[in-house]
Amino acid sequence: MKTGRLLNTLTLALMVVGSACQKQDSDDRISDSYFQSLKDNQARFVVTIGGKEFYEPTSVFNGQVLLTEGVLSMTLTNQFDGKTIINLVGEEWYAKSPVTEEVSADQSGTSLKIGKIVDRDKMIGEGYMMTKGEITATTFSKDKMIFKIRGQVGKYSDFRQPDRYLPFEGLIVYKKPAISFGDITEKEVFGSAPSR
């Protein structure tokens, strides 16, 4: 009887590990496909909010990344006037492997803001702020950055109403980003470790 339970537990554990590996392989293939389709300083940002795609599937972003001792600040804008701003805040954030920071509703540190124009004639937009979650740079080099984002967001108008928060998932693939360095050097950021 105990052997049967042990085998069932082991089988279940192997299925979970196998499923996780398959998802990782699929994510890697998708990231590679996006990366190959981009020019320098272009990014793809695939986002779902409440299970629905937020940006147009044909969106291609251009951007700017500012790196300082305590902050990674990235601004991305697409051809439809969609805009995303990410700030990773943490002491020596670049020394982590992978680079990862938590987001909380107080917005005093790491944050994500995302928006787009929904009615160009009336200049009406739709925007969200991340209220809880995690932003992780699974690949982080001067030539290639991949960020995976997961958590929840609230509309700007509903930001302080947790009952209106929506689940959020995002993948950013950024080829040869335009990078500016503040109080830190390229070698300090990228020289401490190979492409992460």
Side-chain angles (χ1 to χ4, degrees), residues 121-141:
D121 293 335
K122 297 179 182 176
M123 288 307 290
I124 296 172
E126 180 180 3
Y128 294 87
M129 293 173 68
M130 195 165 190
T131 58
K132 182 180 179 183
E134 187 174 82
I135 301 171
T136 301
T138 58
T139 301
F140 188 73
S141 73

Side-chain angles (χ1 to χ4, degrees), residues 2-186:
K2 288 183 179 178
T3 304
R5 274 192 238 149
L6 180 60
L7 284 174
N8 286 342
T9 303
L10 285 173
T11 301
L12 182 60
L14 288 172
M15 287 171 56
V16 168
V17 169
S19 176
C21 289
Q22 286 177 343
K23 177 157 179 28
Q24 182 61 45
D25 287 346
S26 174
D27 288 350
D28 291 345
R29 281 194 298 277
I30 290 168
S31 297
D32 288 344
S33 171
Y34 289 153
F35 187 78
Q36 296 304 323
S37 71
L38 297 171
K39 296 176 182 172
D40 291 357
N41 196 33
Q42 285 188 338
R44 289 290 308 268
F45 188 15
V46 181
V47 178
T48 57
I49 297 176
K52 296 178 183 173
E53 236 178 283
F54 184 70
Y55 287 126
E56 295 286 330
T58 55
S59 291
V60 177
F61 291 79
N62 292 94
Q64 179 67 42
V65 178
L66 171 64
L67 305 179
T68 70
E69 178 73 27
V71 178
L72 176 154
S73 181
M74 178 168 56
T75 302
L76 298 172
T77 305
N78 71 14
Q79 72 269 39
F80 306 111
D81 295 322
K83 190 170 190 175
T84 297
I85 300 171
I86 294 176
N87 290 306
L88 297 184
V89 179
E91 190 174 324
E92 292 190 353
W93 56 268
Y94 51 89
K96 298 177 182 177
S97 184
V99 176
T100 185
E101 292 292 340
E102 297 286 327
V103 177
S104 63
D106 65 15
Q107 295 296 310
S108 62
T110 297
S111 64
L112 177 139
K113 296 173 184 166
I114 180 172
K116 66 179 180 180
I117 302 293
V118 292
D119 186 330
R120 190 169 305 281
D121 293 335
K122 297 179 182 176
M123 288 307 290
I124 296 172
E126 180 180 3
Y128 294 87
M129 293 173 68
M130 195 165 190
T131 58
K132 182 180 179 183
E134 187 174 82
I135 301 171
T136 301
T138 58
T139 301
F140 188 73
S141 73
K142 62 184 179 180
D143 295 327
K144 182 179 185 180
M145 294 182 186
I146 298 176
F147 292 86
K148 291 186 180 178
I149 308 165
R150 177 171 278 170
Q152 59 187 22
V153 294
K155 280 192 174 183
Y156 289 150
S157 58
D158 301 332
F159 184 64
R160 297 288 177 203
Q161 299 179 30
D163 59 320
R164 296 191 179 180
Y165 292 167
L166 296 168
F168 178 97
E169 283 192 46
L171 172 68
I172 296 172
V173 179
Y174 200 171
K175 184 175 187 175
K176 293 193 177 181
I179 301 173
S180 300
F181 295 90
D183 58 356
I184 196 166
T185 67
E186 180 178 325

